Amino acid sequence: MSEPLLCETEKAEISQTGLSQANFFSRLTFSWINPLLSLGYTKPLSLQDIPPMPPEDKANMCYQQFASTWDSLLSGNTSNSSKNLVIWTMSRAFLKENIFIAICALGRTICAAVSPLIVYAFVNHANRSEDNLYEGVSILGCLVLVKIVESVSERQWYFDSRRSGTRMRSALMVAVYEKLLKLSSMARRRHSTGEIVNYIAADANRMENSCGGSIQDGALYCKFS
């Protein structure tokens, strides 16, 4: 009963193929997962074949980040300490990740808005009677570059939004569980087991979905405005 459900098998040869040891180009193109896909093509994957989770994605690390931000907000005596403290704590604890996600969403939205203009310019160039090879190649190169940036930013947006949402959910689930261990007998009477399970399951999942949903709503607003 004292042993964990999943054994810690962080071997050096396995961790080097995971996300924690990936360089910038590998993270940008998601090539860090290619060794795992190649191994899964040759044989059924087992638990020992799966790369270990990066330290920053583990529930304990996410909870420590959440708890330190929570304590700093409580000790600050700001106006946010008594209202929507969980939302403010999540916003500050995972600020860097959300800023990067917002930048990716903004880049994808800008590229999606610029692409039709470049296509229109290319069509006008093709319908001209005089030939200008340099202008045509420049327009085509800009179109290819914009589509590459759009594709990369969109993939990073989707991946990092789900990753950040999972971190927020893990931190919130551990925080609720830690609070449950400290509840008194009187508090346990006010909160039933079903309510506590609902806090961990449903409300934590809503916090995870809100990470990508709010940024997606902002991107749609920027696109149609």
Side-chain angles (χ1 to χ4, degrees), residues 14 22 37 40 75 95 113 115 119 129 137 157 172 179 199 204 216 218:
I14 297 180
L37 297 178
S75 60
L95 181 61
S115 296
V119 173
S129 58
V137 172
W157 171 22
L172 193 58
K179 183 65 175 179
Y199 295 154
Q216 185 175 6

Side-chain angles (χ1 to χ4, degrees), residues 26-223:
S26 180
R27 291 173 181 265
L28 191 65
T29 59
F30 296 98
S31 60
W32 54 268
I33 203 173
N34 288 340
L36 182 63
L37 297 178
S38 301
L39 183 62
Y41 180 78
T42 57
K43 68 168 188 177
L45 296 176
S46 61
L47 182 60
Q48 288 75 19
D49 299 326
I50 305 299
M53 185 179 298
E56 61 271 14
D57 290 339
K58 293 185 178 180
N60 187 24
M61 186 66 67
C62 295
Y63 171 70
Q64 292 179 4
Q65 188 176 358
F66 174 84
S68 61
T69 307
W70 179 281
D71 295 337
S72 64
L73 287 178
L74 287 180
S75 60
N77 293 326
T78 60
S79 59
N80 302 324
S81 299
S82 59
K83 186 178 180 180
N84 298 328
L85 185 58
V86 175
I87 298 178
W88 284 101
T89 303
M90 287 293 183
S91 301
R92 292 194 179 185
F94 304 96
L95 181 61
K96 295 181 180 179
E97 295 88 342
N98 293 329
I99 290 177
F100 178 74
I101 295 171
I103 292 175
C104 292
L106 181 61
R108 188 262 177 188
T109 304
I110 294 175
C111 292
V114 172
S115 296
L117 301 178
I118 301 179
V119 173
Y120 181 75
F122 183 79
V123 172
N124 290 335
H125 173 75
N127 293 331
R128 294 176 184 175
S129 58
E130 65 275 4
D131 293 334
N132 190 344
L133 182 60
Y134 177 77
E135 183 180 356
V137 172
S138 300
I139 296 175
L140 183 60
C142 290
L143 180 60
V144 172
L145 180 61
V146 167
K147 299 306 291 185
I148 291 176
V149 173
E150 179 183 358
S151 178
V152 171
S153 59
E154 185 177 10
R155 300 306 181 272
Q156 294 294 328
W157 171 22
Y158 289 160
F159 175 76
D160 288 322
S161 62
R162 299 300 299 179
R163 187 182 182 189
S164 179
T166 304
R167 291 179 181 176
M168 297 168 64
R169 184 187 64 176
S170 301
L172 193 58
M173 291 176 67
V174 176
V176 173
Y177 181 76
E178 291 289 339
K179 183 65 175 179
L180 175 62
L181 298 178
K182 300 177 182 178
L183 287 179
S184 60
S185 300
M186 186 64 66
R188 292 177 185 272
R189 295 178 183 177
R190 293 198 302 265
H191 301 276
S192 63
T193 305
E195 291 177 346
I196 297 174
V197 172
N198 185 67
Y199 295 154
I200 298 177
D203 295 343
N205 287 330
R206 290 174 184 173
M207 183 65 67
E208 177 186 8
N209 296 330
S210 66
C211 177
S214 59
I215 298 178
Q216 185 175 6
D217 294 339
L220 290 175
Y221 176 79
C222 295
K223 184 176 180 180

